[in-house]
Amino acid sequence: MNNNKYSPPKVWQWQQGNGGKFANINRPVSGATHEKQLPKGKHPLQLYSLATPNGVKVTILLEELLEKGFADAEYDAFIIDIMEGAQFSSGFVEINPNSKIPALLDKSTEPATPVFESGAILLYLAEKYNCFIPSNPQLKAKCLSWLFWQMGSGPALGGGFGHFYAYAPEPMEYPINRFTMEVKRQLDLLDKHLANNKYICGDEYTIADMAIWPWYGVLVRGDLYDAAEFLAVHEYTHLTAWAECVFARPAVKRGRMVNRSWGDENEQVHERHSKEDFANKG
C-alpha cells in the first residue's frame, strides 16, 4: 500500500498533463478545441470511430447487417484519432457533443440523423433494420437489459480496471484490487449466465452479444490489457466458449479490423468504404 497519503484540496484545480496515457488530451471542459470538418463518403451511413471496444461494437453490427443482405447498411468508416484529439474537432462535436467515439451520421433521413453512444447506435440500427433485436417482448426486454448492463458495467472494466492496470503512471494497489474484484464478479456473472445460454439472450444472437463481446469476450481471449493471466480467465469456461463462438463469425472478424491502426497489419482496415477493403486481410 502506498504510504504517501493524499489529502484532497477544498477546491479541485486542473493540472494539465497530470500523468497517465491520456493526460495530454483529457480536460475538464467540453466543446471543440479546433475547427475541422469531418470527411464524408458516398454511403447512407457515416461512422466516425476507432477500433476500441466501444467502436468495434458498431462495426460488428454493420458488418452483420451487410452479411444479412441489407444493402442500404453500407457505410463509410473514418478513423478518429483520439490520441491526437480528433474527437474535439468542430465537425465531430457537432455530431457528438460528448466528444467520445463512436459517432454515427445517418444520411438516409432528412435531415441527417446523428447518433452517439455505442449502445444508442446499436439500438438505433437494430430497430432501423428490424434485425438482431428480438421481436418477442420478453426476449426484447432481456436483450435490452443485457445491453444496458454492459453500458453500465463497462466503465468498471475500461476506465477502472483498464486504466489502473494498464495506463496509470504507476501501479497502485488499492484501485487495482478494487476494480479487479468488480471485473471478476462481472466475469463470474457472465460465465454463470452462459452456462445455460448459447448467446446472451438464449439461442438468438443479438446486439447484446455485440455489445458485450468487444469488452468481455476479447478480455477472456487474452487480447485486452494483457490481463488474461492476471484475471485467471481460464476459470470462466462458459464465457470463453461463447467468446470463441462469437469470434468465429465472419462479420465479427471483419468488424474488429475496421478503424484499427495498431497490431498486425493484416488485421488493420484504417478506413472502410466497401467490402473490397478487407481483401487479403485476416
Side-chain angles (χ1 to χ4, degrees):
M1 182 69 69
N2 191 336
N3 293 322
N4 296 324
K5 186 177 180 180
Y6 169 69
S7 296
K10 287 183 180 290
V11 179
W12 180 83
Q13 297 291 325
W14 179 37
Q15 296 179 7
Q16 191 169 9
N18 61 348
K21 184 174 180 180
F22 301 98
N24 65 321
I25 58 170
N26 288 339
R27 59 199 182 103
V29 294
S30 62
T33 60
H34 59 283
E35 291 291 324
K36 185 175 182 180
Q37 294 304 304
L38 293 173
K40 290 184 172 62
K42 65 180 181 179
H43 296 304
L45 300 174
Q46 302 292 293
L47 181 67
Y48 303 96
S49 190
L50 193 66
T52 66
N54 285 336
V56 168
K57 296 175 190 177
V58 177
T59 48
I60 286 176
L61 174 54
L62 288 166
E63 291 298 326
E64 292 282 10
L65 288 167
L66 292 170
E67 187 93 357
K68 279 275 192 179
F70 291 96
D72 57 343
E74 275 289 357
Y75 69 103
D76 297 285
F78 298 95
I79 277 187
I80 297 297
D81 189 340
I82 61 175
M83 297 307 297
E84 295 298 323
Q87 69 274 36
F88 299 116
S89 73
S90 57
F92 190 85
V93 170
E94 185 177 353
I95 296 178
N96 183 0
N98 194 41
S99 294
K100 303 287 185 181
I101 61 95
L104 177 78
L105 186 66
D106 183 357
K107 299 195 301 181
S108 71
T109 65
E110 183 57 46
T113 302
V115 192
F116 64 93
E117 289 297 321
S118 58
I121 297 173
L122 292 181
L123 185 55
Y124 175 82
L125 292 173
E127 291 187 335
K128 179 181 177 74
Y129 294 100
N130 192 27
C131 195
F132 298 115
I133 188 167
S135 57
N136 176 282
Q138 290 180 316
L139 288 177
K140 183 175 182 179
K142 185 175 184 179
C143 176
L144 294 181
S145 293
W146 281 104
L147 172 63
F148 285 96
W149 172 85
Q150 190 285 314
M151 295 298 294
S153 299
L157 172 52
F161 174 79
H163 175 78
F164 288 104
Y165 183 77
Y167 301 134
E170 60 185 31
M172 290 174 275
E173 183 179 359
Y174 174 77
I176 290 176
N177 284 344
R178 167 67 182 87
F179 287 109
T180 298
M181 178 174 64
E182 173 59 15
V183 167
K184 286 186 71 67
R185 186 193 69 82
Q186 294 173 5
L187 294 173
D188 184 61
L189 169 67
L190 288 169
D191 191 61
K192 288 174 177 173
H193 177 69
L194 289 163
N196 300 305
N197 294 278
K198 180 179 180 181
Y199 296 113
I200 295 296
C201 293
D203 293 331
E204 186 176 352
Y205 175 67
T206 70
I207 55 173
D209 297 279
M210 301 177 206
I212 294 169
W213 186 85
W215 283 104
Y216 299 90
V218 172
L219 181 69
V220 298
R221 295 191 75 251
D223 297 328
L224 188 62
Y225 305 132
D226 292 324
E229 182 179 8
F230 179 75
L231 293 169
V233 297
H234 65 277
E235 298 173 352
Y236 309 109
T237 56
H238 305 294
L239 176 56
T240 299
W242 165 84
E244 295 300 332
C245 175
V246 173
F247 179 66
R249 299 178 68 90
V252 172
K253 292 183 183 296
R254 293 196 302 272
R256 66 186 295 271
M257 296 182 196
V258 178
N259 296 148
R260 189 178 184 90
S261 59
W262 59 88
D264 189 333
E265 288 190 5
N266 288 327
E267 296 183 346
Q268 297 180 28
V269 175
H270 294 188
E271 290 188 6
R272 188 271 184 210
H273 303 287
S274 76
K275 64 181 181 180
E276 302 305 321
D277 294 319
F278 299 102
N280 304 316
K281 297 288 184 178

